[in-house]
């Protein structure tokens, strides 16, 4: 089993990628502090054809050397926008037909792996701050809350890991 | 949908967790340089009941303030060991009945989501260096190569993200 060379991976260049059909999935990054985490999420969004990354609140935006360090240029290929107010981002997405899904440990959540993704819908997935998670106001404004079952001692997973598991779930059902 | 309070998450304390039955899955970390990545992998291993993290080569081991920063203490609850030589780790795991699965983009790989996990087997999942991936020698010594399909411009995902997607795949089928 020989490792594939870079040119055997069949990756797109930036221009081809921009024209490529994306999944109807937007990742909303609500007040994420770590630039490493933001960069890693851009890189995952690039791999799984996420339509847009919506950065909100304290979440930093490109260009940033620290985001670049983990995004490795994916911040230049994945479409992104910024909203100071996460609620305004949600209102805009809802008005444009997106179903609002927050990723949070709440009463009444659906376990991620049980959530059926429909080809007929568009989705916004919201991930929250490293310490406080998704704000309760944002949870209240969501159509559905998705939760990753966890059986360890820690309260939560790293936010870029949680985002990746969610995007992978949607990717597998939509691609 | 109210957010769950910490005490409503039903997490184990360290002692209860250590006694808990784990998945027959070991994560082998082959020459991973970033302490952030190692910490994040410990945190994921904690959540998904991974039996052991095997750190190899240049991969740093706890105790380390940098690992702690992302592992948040999971490095104290998840069992771990260290091998200078990854091949020796593989030989030991194989001798103990583990099926050796490397996570790498190789010819003849199986897409991760298509890999059937059996309740009758034990698995070692190997992830590799941030730049060079899993070494070709280690790939050659593996029983199977798993590959995460990626449709973007970047060559690979962040290693802690790749490890998480793999552990999640095994977790969902074994739990």
């Amino acid at each position: 089993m020989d490792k594939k060379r870079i040119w055997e991976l069949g990756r797109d260049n930036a221009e081809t990628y921009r024209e490529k059909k994306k999944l109807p999935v937007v990742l909303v990054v609500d007040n994420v502090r770590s630039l490493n985490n933001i960069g890693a999420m851009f890189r995952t969004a690039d791999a799984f054809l996420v339509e847009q990354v919506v950065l909100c609140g304290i979440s930093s935006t490109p260009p940033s050397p620290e985001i670049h360090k983990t995004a490795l240029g994916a911040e230049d290929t994945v479409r992104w926008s910024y909203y100071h107010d996460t609620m305004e981002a949600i209102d805009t997405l809802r008005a444009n037909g997106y179903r609002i899904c927050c990723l949070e440990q709440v009463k009444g959540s659906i376990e991620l792996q049980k959530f059926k993704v429909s080809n007929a819908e568009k989705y916004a997935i919201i991930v929250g701050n490293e310490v406080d998670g998704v704000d309760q106001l944002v949870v209240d404004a969501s159509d559905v809350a998705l939760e990753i079952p966890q059986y360890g001692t820690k309260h939560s997973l790293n936010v870029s890991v949680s985002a990746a598991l969610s995007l992978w779930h949607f990717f597998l059902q939509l691609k």
Side-chain angles (χ1 to χ4, degrees), chain A:
Chain A
M1 299 187 291
D2 285 345
K3 286 171 76 167
K4 294 177 188 168
R5 313 291 180 97
I6 284 178
W7 57 87
E8 293 173 321
L9 293 173
R11 296 291 188 265
D12 290 319
N13 61 35
E15 204 172 323
T16 314
Y17 185 78
R18 272 189 213 100
E19 301 303 319
K20 208 168 175 175
K21 191 169 157 42
K22 305 296 189 303
L23 300 188
V25 172
V26 164
L27 178 66
V28 180
V29 179
D30 174 30
N31 286 296
V32 166
R33 185 170 296 280
S34 155
L35 301 168
N36 269 338
N37 283 333
I38 292 173
M41 289 192 275
F42 266 106
R43 194 162 159 198
T44 307
D46 171 83
F48 296 150
L49 297 167
V50 167
E51 189 180 279
Q52 190 185 168
V53 172
V54 179
L55 300 157
C56 301
I58 65 164
S59 308
S60 288
T61 61
S64 145
E66 287 81 11
I67 291 176
H68 182 78
K69 208 178 137 192
T70 43
L72 299 176
E75 77 277 24
D76 298 325
T77 55
V78 177
R79 207 179 121 211
W80 65 267
S81 57
Y82 174 80
Y83 285 82
H84 174 67
D85 180 1
T86 310
M87 296 300 287
E88 191 190 328
I90 292 175
D91 289 345
T92 306
L93 286 162
R94 178 173 280 122
N96 283 292
Y98 289 84
R99 191 162 172 207
I100 312 298
C101 311
C102 70
L103 188 68
E104 188 50 85
Q105 308 184 102
V106 305
K107 294 164 191 167
S109 66
I110 299 173
E111 288 195 348
L112 174 64
Q113 77 278 13
K114 294 179 183 161
F115 183 71
K116 293 253 184 293
V117 183
S118 160
N119 270 300
E121 292 210 70
K122 302 194 282 184
Y123 297 94
I125 305 171
I126 310 173
V127 296
N129 178 262
E130 287 89 345
V131 174
D132 298 321
V134 178
D135 193 88
Q136 182 66 55
L137 276 178
V138 172
V139 172
D140 292 340
S142 300
D143 300 310
V144 59
L146 304 176
E147 180 167 348
I148 299 169
Q150 293 165 53
Y151 293 87
T153 59
K154 302 294 109 196
H155 305 131
S156 65
L157 293 162
N158 170 280
V159 62
S160 71
V161 162
S162 297
L165 296 179
S166 312
L167 295 176
W168 172 245
H169 177 77
F170 281 74
F171 170 79
L172 287 181
Q173 293 189 51
L174 291 171
K175 180 64 190 164

